Amino acid sequence: EPEVTQTPSHQVTQMGQEVILRCVPISNHLYFYWYRQILGQKVEFLVSFYNNEISEKSEIFDDQFSVERPDGSNFTLKIRSTKLEDSAMYFCASRSHPSTDTQYFGPGTRLTVL
Amino acid sequence: TQLLEQSPQFLSIQEGENLTVYCNSSSVFSSLQWYRQEPGEGPVLLVTVVTGGEVKKLKRLTFQFGDARKDSSLHITAAQPGDTGLYLCAGTSGTYKYIFGTGTRLKVLA
């Protein structure tokens, strides 16, 4: 069964460093998402991406964040200058078609900012 | 701001008992999803409900979408230790954004 994959599974970085989290959505899907989950807290929407542009973003998704689909398969989340409070699990999700609301999540990347 | 409140937050029950988890909002959603999440993993979709009043069954799990599409419930019959996990509801209003609930952490004791 097709699945969303994410790399790396765990990323440790120093405060102020840039990180890029990578996702490979399910191949025929058109809508892509990033969420984060701070330890012990709820899953929070960051951004959605469709047709090579951001379709919606939350207030969390400030100028430090950016997303890109550099080729036909990868979908990346970049954090330019990480802060301690960026430490969280970051989940990528994809969805196939506007007529279905079903999104499929990847296993997540645990980001630890020291 | 759309919010989804889940209750209870924590639930610890004995194997074989029944339970219901609630997901409530003051906002209307075009669809609502239920997920289960294991520690260190991504949420896994259990079901999507779309129509007000809709009831879906998945083995011992019964999901219901409220008539007004503002709330939903998840009922588990004869809970088993394998049902232990974090249960999340998530709704969308037809935009690209999904709002997640606060979560219900279920522990089923053998």
Side-chain angles (χ1 to χ4, degrees):
Chain A
E1 188 176 319
E3 56 182 20
V4 177
T5 59
Q6 290 186 243
T7 54
S9 56
H10 191 187
Q11 174 91 48
V12 181
T13 190
Q14 295 289 326
M15 191 169 56
Q17 295 295 304
E18 174 183 287
V19 293
I20 297 177
L21 310 183
R22 290 185 167 80
C23 168
V24 179
I26 295 173
S27 64
N28 63 344
H29 283 192
L30 303 174
Y31 299 82
F32 313 112
Y33 303 83
W34 283 101
Y35 293 85
R36 81 170 184 194
Q37 187 177 31
I38 295 170
L39 186 64
Q41 298 186 23
K42 69 176 186 176
V43 176
E44 298 174 292
F45 169 82
L46 290 178
V47 66
S48 59
F49 192 86
Y50 169 69
N51 201 25
N52 282 317
E53 60 183 24
I54 291 174
S55 42
E56 195 159 359
K57 61 183 180 179
S58 72
E59 53 277 5
I60 302 168
F61 194 87
D62 61 22
D63 293 343
Q64 293 299 314
F65 292 89
S66 62
V67 289
E68 196 177 33
R69 190 156 159 82
D71 52 43
S73 58
N74 289 285
F75 179 50
T76 61
L77 173 69
K78 183 194 288 187
I79 309 175
R80 286 190 185 81
S81 178
T82 49
K83 304 189 266 285
L84 294 176
E85 54 265 36
D86 292 328
S87 294
M89 284 288 286
Y90 287 81
F91 295 106
C92 172
S94 70
R95 175 176 144 216
S96 63
H97 193 270
S99 66
T100 173
D101 288 326
T102 300
Q103 54 179 341
Y104 296 89
F105 280 78
T109 292
R110 179 172 297 283
L111 176 64
T112 302
V113 182
L114 303 175
Chain B
T1 304
Q2 293 177 309
L3 288 172
L4 275 169
E5 297 285 341
Q6 285 184 240
S7 60
Q9 273 189 288
F10 302 97
L11 191 54
S12 181
I13 61 171
Q14 293 293 327
E15 183 177 3
E17 292 184 2
N18 302 331
L19 67 114
T20 302
V21 176
Y22 299 94
C23 175
N24 294 300
S25 176
S26 57
S27 305
V28 175
F29 291 96
S30 61
S31 72
L32 198 135
Q33 302 176 337
W34 283 93
Y35 294 85
R36 189 172 129 191
Q37 186 180 22
E38 303 288 347
E41 297 181 12
V44 175
L45 180 69
L46 296 173
V47 79
T48 300
V49 285
V50 178
T51 307
E54 183 177 3
V55 176
K56 280 192 174 177
K57 291 196 173 187
L58 188 67
K59 297 183 182 176
R60 292 177 293 101
L61 277 60
T62 302
F63 305 86
Q64 183 161 12
F65 202 11
D67 291 340
R69 290 185 287 127
K70 292 182 179 181
D71 53 81
S72 181
S73 64
L74 157 60
H75 182 80
I76 302 179
T77 303
Q80 299 175 2
D83 296 327
T84 293
L86 178 65
Y87 289 83
L88 300 165
C89 62
T92 181
S93 302
T95 68
Y96 299 97
K97 186 176 180 177
Y98 287 79
I99 304 296
F100 272 80
T102 46
T104 294
R105 194 166 294 281
L106 172 65
K107 187 167 187 178
V108 182
L109 305 168

